[in-house]
PDB file of all heavy atoms in Angstrom:
ATOM      1  N   PRO D 348       9.075   9.941  -3.138  1.00  0.00           N
ATOM      2  CA  PRO D 348       8.696   9.407  -4.471  1.00  0.00           C
ATOM      3  C   PRO D 348       9.425   8.069  -4.930  1.00  0.00           C
ATOM      4  O   PRO D 348       8.897   7.150  -5.408  1.00  0.00           O
ATOM      5  CB  PRO D 348       8.954  10.524  -5.433  1.00  0.00           C
ATOM      6  CG  PRO D 348       8.705  11.718  -4.587  1.00  0.00           C
ATOM      7  CD  PRO D 348       9.221  11.372  -3.307  1.00  0.00           C
ATOM      8  N   ALA D 349      10.758   8.149  -4.600  1.00  0.00           N
ATOM      9  CA  ALA D 349      11.537   6.925  -4.995  1.00  0.00           C
ATOM     10  C   ALA D 349      11.084   5.749  -4.215  1.00  0.00           C
ATOM     11  O   ALA D 349      11.157   4.554  -4.789  1.00  0.00           O
ATOM     12  CB  ALA D 349      13.073   7.231  -4.748  1.00  0.00           C
ATOM     13  N   GLN D 350      10.913   5.939  -2.922  1.00  0.00           N
ATOM     14  CA  GLN D 350      10.252   4.864  -1.995  1.00  0.00           C
ATOM     15  C   GLN D 350       9.004   4.370  -2.547  1.00  0.00           C
ATOM     16  O   GLN D 350       8.858   3.113  -2.608  1.00  0.00           O
ATOM     17  CB  GLN D 350      10.277   5.378  -0.653  1.00  0.00           C
ATOM     18  CG  GLN D 350      10.191   4.246   0.410  1.00  0.00           C
ATOM     19  CD  GLN D 350      10.257   4.820   1.828  1.00  0.00           C
ATOM     20  OE1 GLN D 350      10.360   6.103   1.954  1.00  0.00           O
ATOM     21  NE2 GLN D 350      10.071   4.136   2.894  1.00  0.00           N
ATOM     22  N   LEU D 351       8.102   5.216  -2.923  1.00  0.00           N
ATOM     23  CA  LEU D 351       6.786   4.718  -3.411  1.00  0.00           C
ATOM     24  C   LEU D 351       6.987   3.922  -4.705  1.00  0.00           C
ATOM     25  O   LEU D 351       6.382   2.937  -4.882  1.00  0.00           O
ATOM     26  CB  LEU D 351       5.893   5.990  -3.649  1.00  0.00           C
ATOM     27  CG  LEU D 351       4.580   5.679  -4.294  1.00  0.00           C
ATOM     28  CD1 LEU D 351       3.766   4.680  -3.379  1.00  0.00           C
ATOM     29  CD2 LEU D 351       3.761   6.959  -4.421  1.00  0.00           C
ATOM     30  N   ARG D 352       7.793   4.429  -5.594  1.00  0.00           N
ATOM     31  CA  ARG D 352       8.028   3.763  -6.841  1.00  0.00           C
ATOM     32  C   ARG D 352       8.465   2.245  -6.538  1.00  0.00           C
ATOM     33  O   ARG D 352       8.039   1.342  -7.162  1.00  0.00           O
ATOM     34  CB  ARG D 352       9.065   4.461  -7.702  1.00  0.00           C
ATOM     35  CG  ARG D 352       8.521   5.626  -8.351  1.00  0.00           C
ATOM     36  CD  ARG D 352       9.319   6.177  -9.516  1.00  0.00           C
ATOM     37  NE  ARG D 352      10.587   6.835  -8.973  1.00  0.00           N
ATOM     38  CZ  ARG D 352      10.776   8.062  -8.611  1.00  0.00           C
ATOM     39  NH1 ARG D 352       9.698   8.884  -8.810  1.00  0.00           N
ATOM     40  NH2 ARG D 352      11.889   8.486  -8.164  1.00  0.00           N
ATOM     41  N   MET D 353       9.445   2.100  -5.622  1.00  0.00           N
ATOM     42  CA  MET D 353       9.977   0.790  -5.255  1.00  0.00           C
ATOM     43  C   MET D 353       8.882  -0.105  -4.601  1.00  0.00           C
ATOM     44  O   MET D 353       8.750  -1.289  -5.053  1.00  0.00           O
ATOM     45  CB  MET D 353      11.108   0.973  -4.235  1.00  0.00           C
ATOM     46  CG  MET D 353      11.736  -0.377  -3.772  1.00  0.00           C
ATOM     47  SD  MET D 353      13.167  -0.159  -2.663  1.00  0.00           S
ATOM     48  CE  MET D 353      12.294   0.576  -1.188  1.00  0.00           C
ATOM     49  N   TRP D 354       8.042   0.437  -3.676  1.00  0.00           N
ATOM     50  CA  TRP D 354       7.001  -0.345  -3.095  1.00  0.00           C
ATOM     51  C   TRP D 354       5.946  -0.772  -4.185  1.00  0.00           C
ATOM     52  O   TRP D 354       5.421  -1.847  -4.103  1.00  0.00           O
ATOM     53  CB  TRP D 354       6.315   0.452  -2.022  1.00  0.00           C
ATOM     54  CG  TRP D 354       7.145   0.492  -0.744  1.00  0.00           C
ATOM     55  CD1 TRP D 354       8.510   0.339  -0.633  1.00  0.00           C
ATOM     56  CD2 TRP D 354       6.647   0.811   0.515  1.00  0.00           C
ATOM     57  NE1 TRP D 354       8.922   0.522   0.707  1.00  0.00           N
ATOM     58  CE2 TRP D 354       7.807   0.698   1.384  1.00  0.00           C
ATOM     59  CE3 TRP D 354       5.481   1.037   1.116  1.00  0.00           C
ATOM     60  CZ2 TRP D 354       7.702   0.964   2.752  1.00  0.00           C
ATOM     61  CZ3 TRP D 354       5.296   1.231   2.464  1.00  0.00           C
ATOM     62  CH2 TRP D 354       6.507   1.199   3.286  1.00  0.00           C
ATOM     63  N   VAL D 355       5.632   0.121  -5.110  1.00  0.00           N
ATOM     64  CA  VAL D 355       4.615  -0.228  -6.123  1.00  0.00           C
ATOM     65  C   VAL D 355       5.224  -1.462  -7.032  1.00  0.00           C
ATOM     66  O   VAL D 355       4.503  -2.311  -7.277  1.00  0.00           O
ATOM     67  CB  VAL D 355       4.288   0.946  -7.042  1.00  0.00           C
ATOM     68  CG1 VAL D 355       3.553   0.526  -8.283  1.00  0.00           C
ATOM     69  CG2 VAL D 355       3.536   1.968  -6.262  1.00  0.00           C
ATOM     70  N   ARG D 356       6.468  -1.334  -7.411  1.00  0.00           N
ATOM     71  CA  ARG D 356       7.061  -2.351  -8.206  1.00  0.00           C
ATOM     72  C   ARG D 356       7.069  -3.627  -7.465  1.00  0.00           C
ATOM     73  O   ARG D 356       6.733  -4.789  -8.005  1.00  0.00           O
ATOM     74  CB  ARG D 356       8.486  -2.013  -8.591  1.00  0.00           C
ATOM     75  CG  ARG D 356       8.617  -0.927  -9.611  1.00  0.00           C
ATOM     76  CD  ARG D 356      10.020  -0.897 -10.232  1.00  0.00           C
ATOM     77  NE  ARG D 356      11.061  -0.687  -9.197  1.00  0.00           N
ATOM     78  CZ  ARG D 356      11.547   0.477  -8.883  1.00  0.00           C
ATOM     79  NH1 ARG D 356      10.984   1.681  -9.349  1.00  0.00           N
ATOM     80  NH2 ARG D 356      12.463   0.538  -7.922  1.00  0.00           N
ATOM     81  N   HIS D 357       7.458  -3.719  -6.227  1.00  0.00           N
ATOM     82  CA  HIS D 357       7.417  -4.875  -5.379  1.00  0.00           C
ATOM     83  C   HIS D 357       5.965  -5.478  -5.295  1.00  0.00           C
ATOM     84  O   HIS D 357       5.793  -6.754  -5.322  1.00  0.00           O
ATOM     85  CB  HIS D 357       8.056  -4.639  -4.022  1.00  0.00           C
ATOM     86  CG  HIS D 357       9.489  -4.327  -4.086  1.00  0.00           C
ATOM     87  ND1 HIS D 357      10.177  -3.910  -2.889  1.00  0.00           N
ATOM     88  CD2 HIS D 357      10.400  -4.361  -5.055  1.00  0.00           C
ATOM     89  CE1 HIS D 357      11.514  -3.802  -3.275  1.00  0.00           C
ATOM     90  NE2 HIS D 357      11.666  -4.045  -4.569  1.00  0.00           N
ATOM     91  N   THR D 358       5.038  -4.583  -5.123  1.00  0.00           N
ATOM     92  CA  THR D 358       3.657  -5.058  -4.903  1.00  0.00           C
ATOM     93  C   THR D 358       3.166  -5.812  -6.121  1.00  0.00           C
ATOM     94  O   THR D 358       2.542  -6.783  -6.128  1.00  0.00           O
ATOM     95  CB  THR D 358       2.707  -3.837  -4.470  1.00  0.00           C
ATOM     96  OG1 THR D 358       3.112  -3.346  -3.233  1.00  0.00           O
ATOM     97  CG2 THR D 358       1.298  -4.273  -4.463  1.00  0.00           C
ATOM     98  N   VAL D 359       3.413  -5.203  -7.376  1.00  0.00           N
ATOM     99  CA  VAL D 359       2.784  -5.648  -8.561  1.00  0.00           C
ATOM    100  C   VAL D 359       3.666  -6.949  -9.011  1.00  0.00           C
ATOM    101  O   VAL D 359       3.171  -7.776  -9.915  1.00  0.00           O
ATOM    102  CB  VAL D 359       2.682  -4.693  -9.724  1.00  0.00           C
ATOM    103  CG1 VAL D 359       1.805  -3.563  -9.249  1.00  0.00           C
ATOM    104  CG2 VAL D 359       4.050  -4.190 -10.049  1.00  0.00           C
ATOM    105  N   GLN D 360       4.808  -7.113  -8.512  1.00  0.00           N
ATOM    106  CA  GLN D 360       5.586  -8.331  -8.842  1.00  0.00           C
ATOM    107  C   GLN D 360       5.122  -9.611  -8.198  1.00  0.00           C
ATOM    108  O   GLN D 360       5.429 -10.694  -8.549  1.00  0.00           O
ATOM    109  CB  GLN D 360       7.062  -8.101  -8.533  1.00  0.00           C
ATOM    110  CG  GLN D 360       7.853  -7.158  -9.643  1.00  0.00           C
ATOM    111  CD  GLN D 360       9.155  -6.792  -9.035  1.00  0.00           C
ATOM    112  OE1 GLN D 360       9.636  -7.120  -7.983  1.00  0.00           O
ATOM    113  NE2 GLN D 360       9.775  -5.927  -9.879  1.00  0.00           N
ATOM    114  N   ALA D 361       4.300  -9.429  -7.164  1.00  0.00           N
ATOM    115  CA  ALA D 361       3.752 -10.689  -6.311  1.00  0.00           C
ATOM    116  C   ALA D 361       2.745 -11.356  -7.312  1.00  0.00           C
ATOM    117  O   ALA D 361       2.090 -10.717  -8.085  1.00  0.00           O
ATOM    118  CB  ALA D 361       3.184 -10.158  -5.102  1.00  0.00           C
ATOM    119  N   LEU D 362       2.654 -12.682  -7.162  1.00  0.00           N
ATOM    120  CA  LEU D 362       1.847 -13.525  -7.863  1.00  0.00           C
ATOM    121  C   LEU D 362       0.382 -13.143  -7.575  1.00  0.00           C
ATOM    122  O   LEU D 362      -0.020 -13.195  -6.396  1.00  0.00           O
ATOM    123  CB  LEU D 362       2.135 -15.004  -7.660  1.00  0.00           C
ATOM    124  CG  LEU D 362       3.432 -15.502  -8.092  1.00  0.00           C
ATOM    125  CD1 LEU D 362       3.557 -16.967  -7.664  1.00  0.00           C
ATOM    126  CD2 LEU D 362       3.588 -15.363  -9.615  1.00  0.00           C
ATOM    127  N   PRO D 363      -0.453 -12.757  -8.508  1.00  0.00           N
ATOM    128  CA  PRO D 363      -1.818 -12.411  -8.238  1.00  0.00           C
ATOM    129  C   PRO D 363      -2.652 -13.537  -7.720  1.00  0.00           C
ATOM    130  O   PRO D 363      -3.784 -13.342  -7.115  1.00  0.00           O
ATOM    131  CB  PRO D 363      -2.414 -11.831  -9.586  1.00  0.00           C
ATOM    132  CG  PRO D 363      -1.472 -12.535 -10.578  1.00  0.00           C
ATOM    133  CD  PRO D 363      -0.229 -12.770  -9.988  1.00  0.00           C
ATOM    134  N   SER D 364      -2.379 -14.835  -7.944  1.00  0.00           N
ATOM    135  CA  SER D 364      -3.094 -15.974  -7.663  1.00  0.00           C
ATOM    136  C   SER D 364      -2.953 -16.430  -6.176  1.00  0.00           C
ATOM    137  O   SER D 364      -3.705 -17.279  -5.724  1.00  0.00           O
ATOM    138  CB  SER D 364      -2.943 -17.072  -8.561  1.00  0.00           C
ATOM    139  OG  SER D 364      -1.468 -17.514  -8.552  1.00  0.00           O
ATOM    140  N   ARG D 365      -2.037 -15.840  -5.478  1.00  0.00           N
ATOM    141  CA  ARG D 365      -1.792 -16.254  -4.012  1.00  0.00           C
ATOM    142  C   ARG D 365      -1.820 -15.101  -3.158  1.00  0.00           C
ATOM    143  O   ARG D 365      -1.593 -13.831  -3.553  1.00  0.00           O
ATOM    144  CB  ARG D 365      -0.402 -16.899  -4.022  1.00  0.00           C
ATOM    145  CG  ARG D 365      -0.213 -18.244  -4.800  1.00  0.00           C
ATOM    146  CD  ARG D 365       1.184 -18.738  -4.685  1.00  0.00           C
ATOM    147  NE  ARG D 365       1.532 -19.054  -3.198  1.00  0.00           N
ATOM    148  CZ  ARG D 365       2.758 -19.268  -2.894  1.00  0.00           C
ATOM    149  NH1 ARG D 365       3.742 -19.258  -3.757  1.00  0.00           N
ATOM    150  NH2 ARG D 365       3.022 -19.505  -1.582  1.00  0.00           N
ATOM    151  N   LEU D 366      -2.246 -15.340  -1.879  1.00  0.00           N
ATOM    152  CA  LEU D 366      -2.194 -14.291  -0.884  1.00  0.00           C
ATOM    153  C   LEU D 366      -0.769 -13.770  -0.660  1.00  0.00           C
ATOM    154  O   LEU D 366       0.084 -14.537  -0.513  1.00  0.00           O
ATOM    155  CB  LEU D 366      -2.877 -14.761   0.345  1.00  0.00           C
ATOM    156  CG  LEU D 366      -2.924 -13.870   1.525  1.00  0.00           C
ATOM    157  CD1 LEU D 366      -4.251 -14.049   2.323  1.00  0.00           C
ATOM    158  CD2 LEU D 366      -1.722 -13.846   2.491  1.00  0.00           C
ATOM    159  N   THR D 367      -0.657 -12.492  -0.727  1.00  0.00           N
ATOM    160  CA  THR D 367       0.748 -11.899  -0.423  1.00  0.00           C
ATOM    161  C   THR D 367       0.711 -11.344   0.967  1.00  0.00           C
ATOM    162  O   THR D 367      -0.174 -10.542   1.399  1.00  0.00           O
ATOM    163  CB  THR D 367       0.906 -10.606  -1.451  1.00  0.00           C
ATOM    164  OG1 THR D 367       0.935 -11.147  -2.794  1.00  0.00           O
ATOM    165  CG2 THR D 367       2.227  -9.990  -1.130  1.00  0.00           C
ATOM    166  N   LEU D 368       1.698 -11.625   1.725  1.00  0.00           N
ATOM    167  CA  LEU D 368       1.841 -11.269   3.135  1.00  0.00           C
ATOM    168  C   LEU D 368       2.891 -10.239   3.179  1.00  0.00           C
ATOM    169  O   LEU D 368       4.093 -10.470   2.794  1.00  0.00           O
ATOM    170  CB  LEU D 368       2.311 -12.557   3.943  1.00  0.00           C
ATOM    171  CG  LEU D 368       2.364 -12.297   5.460  1.00  0.00           C
ATOM    172  CD1 LEU D 368       1.037 -11.881   6.075  1.00  0.00           C
ATOM    173  CD2 LEU D 368       2.790 -13.669   6.109  1.00  0.00           C
ATOM    174  N   VAL D 369       2.581  -9.031   3.595  1.00  0.00           N
ATOM    175  CA  VAL D 369       3.504  -7.913   3.687  1.00  0.00           C
ATOM    176  C   VAL D 369       3.839  -7.597   5.119  1.00  0.00           C
ATOM    177  O   VAL D 369       3.048  -7.368   5.932  1.00  0.00           O
ATOM    178  CB  VAL D 369       2.848  -6.565   3.062  1.00  0.00           C
ATOM    179  CG1 VAL D 369       3.807  -5.423   3.121  1.00  0.00           C
ATOM    180  CG2 VAL D 369       2.352  -6.929   1.694  1.00  0.00           C
ATOM    181  N   PHE D 370       5.101  -7.734   5.465  1.00  0.00           N
ATOM    182  CA  PHE D 370       5.673  -7.369   6.806  1.00  0.00           C
ATOM    183  C   PHE D 370       6.264  -5.996   6.654  1.00  0.00           C
ATOM    184  O   PHE D 370       7.141  -5.693   5.848  1.00  0.00           O
ATOM    185  CB  PHE D 370       6.676  -8.345   7.343  1.00  0.00           C
ATOM    186  CG  PHE D 370       6.156  -9.691   7.598  1.00  0.00           C
ATOM    187  CD1 PHE D 370       6.328 -10.753   6.883  1.00  0.00           C
ATOM    188  CD2 PHE D 370       5.409  -9.825   8.755  1.00  0.00           C
ATOM    189  CE1 PHE D 370       5.812 -12.035   7.068  1.00  0.00           C
ATOM    190  CE2 PHE D 370       4.822 -11.160   9.035  1.00  0.00           C
ATOM    191  CZ  PHE D 370       5.056 -12.154   8.208  1.00  0.00           C
ATOM    192  N   GLN D 371       5.821  -5.142   7.501  1.00  0.00           N
ATOM    193  CA  GLN D 371       6.245  -3.703   7.354  1.00  0.00           C
ATOM    194  C   GLN D 371       6.750  -3.179   8.807  1.00  0.00           C
ATOM    195  O   GLN D 371       6.046  -3.238   9.814  1.00  0.00           O
ATOM    196  CB  GLN D 371       5.191  -2.762   6.850  1.00  0.00           C
ATOM    197  CG  GLN D 371       5.539  -1.310   6.772  1.00  0.00           C
ATOM    198  CD  GLN D 371       4.456  -0.315   6.269  1.00  0.00           C
ATOM    199  OE1 GLN D 371       4.571   0.738   6.302  1.00  0.00           O
ATOM    200  NE2 GLN D 371       3.396  -1.056   5.671  1.00  0.00           N
ATOM    201  N   SER D 372       8.035  -2.686   8.840  1.00  0.00           N
ATOM    202  CA  SER D 372       8.526  -2.031  10.187  1.00  0.00           C
ATOM    203  C   SER D 372       8.187  -0.516  10.017  1.00  0.00           C
ATOM    204  O   SER D 372       8.013   0.109   9.032  1.00  0.00           O
ATOM    205  CB  SER D 372       9.980  -2.179  10.330  1.00  0.00           C
ATOM    206  OG  SER D 372      10.649  -1.500   9.246  1.00  0.00           O
ATOM    207  N   PHE D 373       7.960   0.026  11.174  1.00  0.00           N
ATOM    208  CA  PHE D 373       7.680   1.494  11.303  1.00  0.00           C
ATOM    209  C   PHE D 373       8.119   2.054  12.679  1.00  0.00           C
ATOM    210  O   PHE D 373       8.314   1.260  13.619  1.00  0.00           O
ATOM    211  CB  PHE D 373       6.167   1.665  11.031  1.00  0.00           C
ATOM    212  CG  PHE D 373       5.260   1.270  12.268  1.00  0.00           C
ATOM    213  CD1 PHE D 373       4.941   2.113  13.185  1.00  0.00           C
ATOM    214  CD2 PHE D 373       4.786  -0.029  12.248  1.00  0.00           C
ATOM    215  CE1 PHE D 373       4.126   1.726  14.317  1.00  0.00           C
ATOM    216  CE2 PHE D 373       3.994  -0.506  13.337  1.00  0.00           C
ATOM    217  CZ  PHE D 373       3.541   0.477  14.238  1.00  0.00           C
ATOM    218  N   ALA D 374       8.147   3.362  12.793  1.00  0.00           N
ATOM    219  CA  ALA D 374       8.416   4.034  13.955  1.00  0.00           C
ATOM    220  C   ALA D 374       7.196   4.677  14.673  1.00  0.00           C
ATOM    221  O   ALA D 374       6.428   5.357  13.968  1.00  0.00           O
ATOM    222  CB  ALA D 374       9.395   5.137  13.732  1.00  0.00           C
ATOM    223  N   TYR D 375       6.954   4.259  15.856  1.00  0.00           N
ATOM    224  CA  TYR D 375       5.746   4.741  16.508  1.00  0.00           C
ATOM    225  C   TYR D 375       5.796   6.339  16.520  1.00  0.00           C
ATOM    226  O   TYR D 375       4.664   6.960  16.525  1.00  0.00           O
ATOM    227  CB  TYR D 375       5.540   4.249  17.962  1.00  0.00           C
ATOM    228  CG  TYR D 375       4.826   2.900  17.926  1.00  0.00           C
ATOM    229  CD1 TYR D 375       5.447   1.705  17.945  1.00  0.00           C
ATOM    230  CD2 TYR D 375       3.506   2.967  17.958  1.00  0.00           C
ATOM    231  CE1 TYR D 375       4.732   0.505  18.055  1.00  0.00           C
ATOM    232  CE2 TYR D 375       2.709   1.758  17.987  1.00  0.00           C
ATOM    233  CZ  TYR D 375       3.335   0.577  17.960  1.00  0.00           C
ATOM    234  OH  TYR D 375       2.614  -0.609  18.085  1.00  0.00           O
ATOM    235  N   LYS D 376       6.986   6.915  16.653  1.00  0.00           N
ATOM    236  CA  LYS D 376       7.090   8.356  16.764  1.00  0.00           C
ATOM    237  C   LYS D 376       6.530   9.073  15.530  1.00  0.00           C
ATOM    238  O   LYS D 376       6.142  10.232  15.488  1.00  0.00           O
ATOM    239  CB  LYS D 376       8.496   8.764  17.059  1.00  0.00           C
ATOM    240  CG  LYS D 376       9.466   8.528  15.829  1.00  0.00           C
ATOM    241  CD  LYS D 376      10.890   8.958  16.198  1.00  0.00           C
ATOM    242  CE  LYS D 376      11.796   8.731  15.062  1.00  0.00           C
ATOM    243  NZ  LYS D 376      13.204   9.182  15.421  1.00  0.00           N
ATOM    244  N   ASN D 377       6.437   8.274  14.403  1.00  0.00           N
ATOM    245  CA  ASN D 377       5.914   8.904  13.146  1.00  0.00           C
ATOM    246  C   ASN D 377       4.567   8.393  12.834  1.00  0.00           C
ATOM    247  O   ASN D 377       3.932   8.707  11.791  1.00  0.00           O
ATOM    248  CB  ASN D 377       6.886   8.510  11.967  1.00  0.00           C
ATOM    249  CG  ASN D 377       8.227   9.297  12.168  1.00  0.00           C
ATOM    250  OD1 ASN D 377       8.188  10.343  12.610  1.00  0.00           O
ATOM    251  ND2 ASN D 377       9.214   8.556  11.696  1.00  0.00           N
ATOM    252  N   GLY D 378       3.905   7.620  13.735  1.00  0.00           N
ATOM    253  CA  GLY D 378       2.529   7.169  13.538  1.00  0.00           C
ATOM    254  C   GLY D 378       2.454   5.752  12.939  1.00  0.00           C
ATOM    255  O   GLY D 378       3.296   5.278  12.326  1.00  0.00           O
ATOM    256  N   VAL D 379       1.260   5.126  13.246  1.00  0.00           N
ATOM    257  CA  VAL D 379       0.953   3.770  12.783  1.00  0.00           C
ATOM    258  C   VAL D 379       0.571   3.807  11.323  1.00  0.00           C
ATOM    259  O   VAL D 379      -0.187   4.725  10.911  1.00  0.00           O
ATOM    260  CB  VAL D 379      -0.146   3.089  13.658  1.00  0.00           C
ATOM    261  CG1 VAL D 379      -0.523   1.722  13.173  1.00  0.00           C
ATOM    262  CG2 VAL D 379       0.408   2.990  15.135  1.00  0.00           C
ATOM    263  N   PRO D 380       1.084   2.902  10.498  1.00  0.00           N
ATOM    264  CA  PRO D 380       0.713   2.917   8.988  1.00  0.00           C
ATOM    265  C   PRO D 380      -0.787   2.779   8.874  1.00  0.00           C
ATOM    266  O   PRO D 380      -1.384   1.876   9.503  1.00  0.00           O
ATOM    267  CB  PRO D 380       1.505   1.751   8.436  1.00  0.00           C
ATOM    268  CG  PRO D 380       2.668   1.518   9.393  1.00  0.00           C
ATOM    269  CD  PRO D 380       2.124   1.888  10.739  1.00  0.00           C
ATOM    270  N   LEU D 381      -1.300   3.566   7.883  1.00  0.00           N
ATOM    271  CA  LEU D 381      -2.714   3.374   7.635  1.00  0.00           C
ATOM    272  C   LEU D 381      -3.029   2.097   6.882  1.00  0.00           C
ATOM    273  O   LEU D 381      -4.255   1.690   6.932  1.00  0.00           O
ATOM    274  CB  LEU D 381      -3.128   4.561   6.646  1.00  0.00           C
ATOM    275  CG  LEU D 381      -3.042   5.963   7.208  1.00  0.00           C
ATOM    276  CD1 LEU D 381      -3.371   6.998   6.233  1.00  0.00           C
ATOM    277  CD2 LEU D 381      -3.879   6.097   8.467  1.00  0.00           C
TER     278      LEU D 381
END
Side-chain angles (χ1 to χ4, degrees):
Q350 194 174 357
L351 174 57
R352 286 192 290 268
M353 179 177 67
W354 284 22
V355 168
R356 288 196 302 270
H357 290 172
T358 299
V359 301
Q360 285 169 0
L362 295 175
S364 59
R365 296 177 59 191
L366 182 144
T367 298
L368 186 56
V369 181
F370 290 107
Q371 180 179 166
S372 67
F373 70 94
Y375 270 99
K376 66 181 182 180
N377 293 326
V379 176
L381 297 175

